[in-house]
Structures are given as C-alpha cells and as structure tokens.
Amino acid sequence: MPEKMGSPLSSFLKQNKPLFFRIFFILFFSCIPDTANLCSNLSLATTAVQTHSASSDNHFSLKKLTLDGHFSFENIHYAAKDFGNTYHFHPSAVLYPKSVSDISSTIKHIFNIGTASQLTVAARGHGHSLQGQAQAHQGVVINMPSLQEPVMKVHTGELPYVDVSGGELWINILHETLKNGLAPKSWTDYLHLTVGGTLSNAGISGQAFLHGPQINNVYKLEVVTGKGDVLTCSEQQNADLFHGVLGGLGQFGIITRARISLEPAPKMVRWIRVLYSEFSIFTKDQEHLISSESSFDYIEGFVIINRTGLLNNWRSSFNPRDPLQASKFNSDGKVLYCLEMAKHFNPDEAGIMDKKTESLLSKLSFIPSTLFQSDVSYVDFLDRVHVSEIKLREKGLWEVPHPWLNLLIPKSKISDFAQQVFGEILKDNSNGPILIYPVNKSKWNRKTSFVTPDEDIFYLVAFLSSALPSSRGTDGLEHINNQHQRILDVSTRANLGIKQYLPHYSTQKEWQAHFGPQWKLFVQRKYAYDPLAILAPGQRIFQKAIPFL
C-alpha cells in the first residue's frame, strides 16, 4: 500500500526545525549557479582525486542495495546525451528498474545519506530533453523504459481510462487503446515520448485549445518523492502533490504510474492546410476557430519565411482544391502563415464530413488558391512527425544539436512579437519549422505547477531549429543561439509578458521571474517533497549541497 502523504509545510517545519535550516541553506545558498555553462569535463568536487574517491564510494554504496533490477556503472555514456545534444553531464550510475520499489529504495538510500554525498537522481525516458534536463552529473540516472509495472491496462465504461507506467511511450498507448476503440484526448506532436516526461512539462499540441494539455487529462498518479516515499495522488488524494508534479519539471517526484483519460477514437482524419499573407487575418481566423462551439479537432499553424516552391512540396501528401490556381500561386517573397487543421471522422461519415469542413472553411479568410487537404488514418496523422524522423535518421540529420526555443505569448502581444521577429531577426526558417497557434487558458487546470501568461488566450510559438555541429554559418549552433537570445532580449525589453515552455534559465532569479507569484508555492513544495534537492538536477533550479571531502 502506498504511504500517506507527508504533513503540511507548517507541521513539517515545527517537527523538523534543525533539518529545515539545513535545507534552507542548501536551497538558497547552494542554488543554481550564475551561469548554465556547466561543462561535462568540469567536476563538482574540488579535485579530480576527490571526485574519483566520491564516485567509488557512490558505486560501493549503491551496489549494496537489493533490487529487482540492477545498476550499471560501465558503458553509460548515452545517459549524458539528449535530443538537444548540447549539454553532456555524465552520471555515476544508471538504474534499470524492474519495479517501483527499485526507484523508491534508490532515492530513499540517497536521502538517508544526506549531504554526505553529492548523489542526485534524474529520470530519463528516451532522452528527448533539450538542455540536459534528464541528466545528473556524477549522480544516478533512472532508465524509465525498464520499469515493468504496471502492465498497461485499458478500462472501458462511462469514463474510460488507461493505467500505464511512467516510462511508457505515447505511441504504444495509442496502439493499445485503439484495440478498444479508444484513445487519449490530448497529444504532443511527436508520440515517441514517455508519459512521465510529457506530464512533467505539460504536453501541448493542436488539441490543447479543446481539451487542454496532457496534464489536464490525468485522473491519478503514482509518484516517488525525493524522500523515497511512494504516494498515490489525485484531485481527491494528496492533491497538493498531484498538482505539483503535473508540470513540475520533475522537482517533486518521479511519475511511475499514470491513469490517463480516454475518449472514443475516430478512424480517419481530414487534414487541411491553407496560407495567409497577412498576420492579423491569420491570427483572427485562428482565434475564431479556437473560440467557436463547433470547430476542428486540431488547430496549429506555422510561419514560412523566404521559402519558395512550398505548395509543390505539399503535393506529395496533400491535394490542392484548385490545382490550376495553386500552380500559379507566388509568394512574392512575403512572409507567409500556414493554418493547419484536422477534423476527425469515420469512413461512413464522408458525406457529412464534406459539409462540416465546407461550413467551417467558409468562415475563414485564407488565400483561396492555397487550400490543400488529405484524408489519412487517425494513427498516420498522430504519428506524422515520426515519418520525418525516419527520413532525417537516414540522412544522419537526426542526432544533431537542437537548440529549440518554445515561448508562450499573450494574445495582446502576439502582433508586436511577430512584427519584431518574423522577417526581422529571422530572415529565413531553413533551420527548422516555426510553429505558432493559440490555446484557451480556460481549458487549463490552473492548480498545476505549469505557468502561463496572464491572459485568457495565449500563443505557443516554437522555434524548432536543427544545427550542423561543424558549421559557423547561419545553420550553425552559435548563430541559432544568438538569434534566439535576440528574440528573448527583444521580448524582455518590450515587456511582452512571455513564458518559456520547456524552460531553460541560467540563474535562480530568472526561475523566480518565470514562476512569478507561484514561486513561493514551488519552493514550499520542494521543501515538502524533495527537501535535499535530490531530484531533477539537470533543470538547474535547485542544487544539492556539495560535500566537503
């Protein structure tokens, strides 16, 4: 049986005054360093000899644990690499858990050692973090896909759901739930991600305007806290931990089990793309669609800068409504904006689908000759990015640096942002797609740790760049990072009120600004559930005290 949740903060402080002051110094005087330039070649200990000694002690200490799974101390360099491919923090060990108790025992052991050890713990799914967030320098990385419990099980009924391991991939959940004619409501654009990873952030895609992000579609969690406690939590049970973990960047616990809400799944999707040359008309139509009672089931968009022959590229997957007019379309060098929509249907509803989509499209003001559409299977639509992944892997262009920048921008500031960035700071988008689409804040649970701009509608703008490691040109890492910094600087000077999604900051002052009024609660939850700052060191929000050796 799971243990009960720890006492509230006030009670915790009364009963643990000496520990509290110890924790206070750990969190505030040993906090995140002033810069994030923590090279993997630098040691956190004072000398290489001390680091080697500490590492040996850590190995010996961990080897004494009785586990269902096992630790590995050799050939673990992969755990110092992620999709971002720019930060490389090498762990001391990788845990391959077979049970939740393996994770609990490991964390409890490290917690009991206290500040006599520099060991920290990071949960790693399939390594799709961007700036080393799932890495642990000289610590323990938990290989979450090794977790064999619970076995995925779909529950049908009035409120269907699926119970899954925190290390399960969303693509596997899709295939398993479809066997019962069901599927999760909210997705990410890329499905080869783990449940624990996306729920620790938010999980946003084109369904978020309708169903909220993935963190809004969870009934229950099982979590291992930074003290090693295994707790079940939901809106009704251990609610503070439940809300804290969702969008909590892994700071309060490791998600080992999740109960995900399901809905009846369609078999087909009508996938539509249209173009705009005026940003104001583009955003007006997007905002109309996400606010309408009857709309599409998926709404996204992207920016097209200095690209020709775009419509011809679409023809490999889409059919133009008017082939002759589409062939005559010329962008005249303008920045273009693509509205991408999808409507679910079943094969016997094709006639009704035609009428529904025609009605919805008739209220929009896109360039008529740029209407392209395609009917694809539900699985093919949701797993569309994986097709691109396969092609990039074949060309050796997948495992390159990905200096992504994801921003949430208030509706009232999106035009100012676009004017200063698209076509000005960014002269082209050949380094990767630029997504842009609005979501409704009313669909989000505001009790979670995830922070959003202070408006009812805000936009996700994602710069999904890929860099060539050896290049010093416009496709190089340095140039792309400089562009992104200019975007952030402009946004700060203009006081646009943006928030980062998949946030990455260099100082704790920036983290405080990111969380704003929620920072105090965030720190309180850290005290309550991970008082020694053991968990998720790669986020660089808090830093565990370094032992004197």
Side-chain angles (χ1 to χ4, degrees):
M1 291 289 290
E3 299 175 21
K4 293 183 178 179
M5 184 175 66
S7 53
L9 181 64
S10 59
S11 175
F12 172 81
L13 297 181
K14 289 178 183 177
Q15 298 174 24
N16 300 275
K17 286 185 179 179
L19 178 60
F20 165 70
F21 286 109
R22 192 180 185 189
I23 294 165
F24 180 86
F25 282 99
I26 291 172
L27 294 180
F28 283 94
F29 292 96
S30 297
C31 270
I32 182 170
D34 286 339
T35 67
N37 187 26
L38 302 177
C39 176
S40 59
N41 296 323
L42 296 178
S43 170
L44 293 183
T46 55
T47 68
V49 174
Q50 289 171 328
T51 300
H52 177 74
S53 175
S55 180
S56 298
D57 290 343
N58 291 340
H59 290 188
F60 179 74
S61 171
L62 295 171
K63 285 178 180 178
K64 294 192 298 183
L65 293 176
T66 301
L67 304 172
D68 299 314
H70 68 279
F71 281 105
S72 179
F73 304 98
E74 306 293 337
N75 300 317
I76 56 176
H77 300 296
Y78 78 91
K81 185 177 181 180
D82 58 22
F83 183 69
N85 203 16
T86 53
Y87 291 85
H88 303 284
F89 304 113
H90 290 265
S92 291
V94 172
L95 171 65
Y96 295 86
K98 285 187 178 179
S99 65
V100 173
S101 107
D102 286 352
I103 299 173
S104 172
S105 297
T106 300
I107 296 176
K108 191 167 291 187
H109 170 73
I110 295 171
F111 178 77
N112 288 336
I113 295 174
T115 56
S117 167
Q118 69 183 44
L119 281 175
T120 54
V121 176
R124 184 182 194 273
H126 278 236
H128 282 276
S129 54
L130 296 174
Q131 288 102 4
Q133 289 97 333
Q135 298 174 26
H137 179 75
Q138 294 297 311
V140 175
V141 170
I142 300 177
N143 186 66
M144 293 301 292
S146 299
L147 185 62
Q148 296 182 353
E149 56 182 43
V151 175
M152 195 187 324
K153 187 174 181 181
V154 179
H155 298 258
T156 59
E158 187 176 346
L159 292 174
Y161 61 86
V162 58
D163 285 327
V164 298
S165 162
E168 191 61 79
L169 294 179
W170 285 99
I171 184 64
N172 295 338
I173 295 172
L174 173 62
H175 288 303
E176 187 64 26
T177 56
L178 282 176
K179 294 176 183 178
N180 292 272
L182 300 167
K185 301 173 184 176
S186 193
W187 297 96
T188 52
D189 287 335
Y190 180 66
L191 302 190
H192 296 253
L193 305 170
T194 58
V195 168
T198 64
L199 295 185
S200 294
N201 288 280
I204 304 175
S205 185
Q207 304 87 9
F209 81 95
L210 186 61
H211 298 293
Q214 289 181 321
I215 57 174
N216 265 47
N217 295 278
V218 182
Y219 290 140
K220 186 182 291 187
L221 297 172
E222 179 185 74
V223 174
V224 181
T225 72
K227 294 185 281 189
D229 297 333
V230 182
L231 303 174
T232 298
C233 54
S234 65
E235 289 279 4
Q236 294 75 37
Q237 179 184 11
N238 296 333
D240 183 66
L241 178 61
F242 181 72
H243 295 134
V245 167
L246 293 172
L249 305 176
Q251 291 300 307
F252 315 121
I254 294 173
I255 297 171
T256 52
R257 182 183 305 213
R259 179 165 291 179
I260 309 296
S261 172
L262 302 176
E263 67 176 357
K267 289 185 171 58
M268 299 293 294
V269 169
R270 178 152 298 173
W271 188 2
I272 301 171
R273 285 179 178 174
V274 294
L275 289 180
Y276 294 77
S277 58
E278 298 295 331
F279 186 75
S280 60
I281 300 175
F282 167 69
T283 55
K284 180 181 178 182
D285 277 0
Q286 281 192 318
E287 291 165 15
H288 160 73
L289 288 174
I290 71 162
S291 303
S292 300
E293 289 187 10
S294 176
S295 189
F296 290 95
D297 298 298
Y298 159 101
I299 296 169
E300 287 196 9
F302 50 93
V303 184
I304 303 151
I305 304 173
N306 193 26
R307 288 178 62 185
T308 58
L310 178 72
L311 298 189
N312 285 331
N313 293 337
W314 285 1
R315 290 174 187 268
S316 62
S317 303
F318 295 84
N319 299 314
R321 171 70 63 85
D322 188 331
L324 179 60
Q325 289 301 313
S327 65
K328 294 179 179 180
F329 176 76
N330 191 320
S331 67
D332 296 322
K334 292 182 179 179
V335 176
L336 298 174
Y337 308 94
C338 173
L339 174 57
E340 185 173 56
M341 304 154 283
K343 190 72 174 172
H344 300 162
F345 70 102
N346 290 316
D348 59 350
E349 301 170 334
I352 298 174
M353 174 55 50
D354 290 340
K355 293 179 180 179
K356 285 183 178 179
T357 54
E358 284 299 325
S359 176
L360 292 169
L361 291 171
S362 68
K363 298 178 175 63
L364 306 180
S365 302
F366 54 87
I367 301 171
S369 61
T370 65
L371 174 58
F372 280 64
Q373 67 182 36
S374 178
D375 289 351
V376 297
S377 75
Y378 185 58
V379 172
D380 285 347
F381 174 73
L382 290 179
D383 202 28
R384 61 198 179 278
V385 177
H386 187 52
V387 177
S388 299
E389 176 190 355
I390 293 171
K391 294 178 181 178
L392 290 171
R393 284 189 183 277
E394 290 173 350
K395 297 177 180 179
L397 297 175
W398 182 257
E399 295 185 0
V400 298
H402 294 97
W404 288 8
L405 177 65
N406 296 271
L407 303 176
L408 304 175
I409 303 173
K411 168 188 168 182
S412 64
K413 303 294 185 179
I414 192 63
S415 293
D416 293 340
F417 178 87
Q419 186 175 0
Q420 296 184 63
V421 173
F422 305 139
E424 295 297 326
I425 295 177
L426 297 181
K427 302 297 183 181
D428 63 66
N429 61 325
S430 58
N431 295 323
I434 303 171
L435 303 184
I436 178 169
Y437 56 91
V439 294
N440 293 313
K441 191 170 183 176
S442 62
K443 302 292 184 178
W444 294 54
N445 185 340
R446 303 188 188 189
K447 296 178 183 178
T448 69
S449 291
F450 190 77
V451 290
T452 65
D454 295 326
E455 290 189 10
D456 292 336
I457 293 176
F458 57 89
Y459 279 77
L460 172 71
V461 182
F463 303 91
L464 308 182
S465 303
S466 298
L468 295 181
S470 59
S471 174
R472 295 188 177 276
T474 57
D475 55 359
L477 183 61
E478 182 179 3
H479 176 80
I480 295 171
N481 280 335
N482 287 339
Q483 277 189 330
H484 290 176
Q485 190 57 53
R486 286 180 63 195
I487 292 170
L488 291 171
D489 290 344
V490 163
S491 301
T492 300
R493 287 197 301 270
N495 194 27
L496 299 184
I498 68 171
K499 297 291 183 184
Q500 284 192 28
Y501 176 51
L502 309 177
H504 171 66
Y505 297 104
S506 300
T507 67
Q508 195 176 75
K509 183 178 180 181
E510 291 173 306
W511 279 111
Q512 284 184 256
H514 172 76
F515 284 103
Q518 287 186 234
W519 174 248
K520 182 178 179 181
L521 177 59
F522 197 82
V523 173
Q524 287 176 348
R525 284 171 169 166
K526 189 69 172 177
Y527 288 158
Y529 305 115
D530 183 25
L532 297 185
I534 291 170
L535 300 177
Q539 292 284 1
R540 298 185 284 284
I541 305 174
F542 306 101
Q543 186 179 25
K544 189 179 181 183
I546 299 169
F548 296 98
L549 299 174

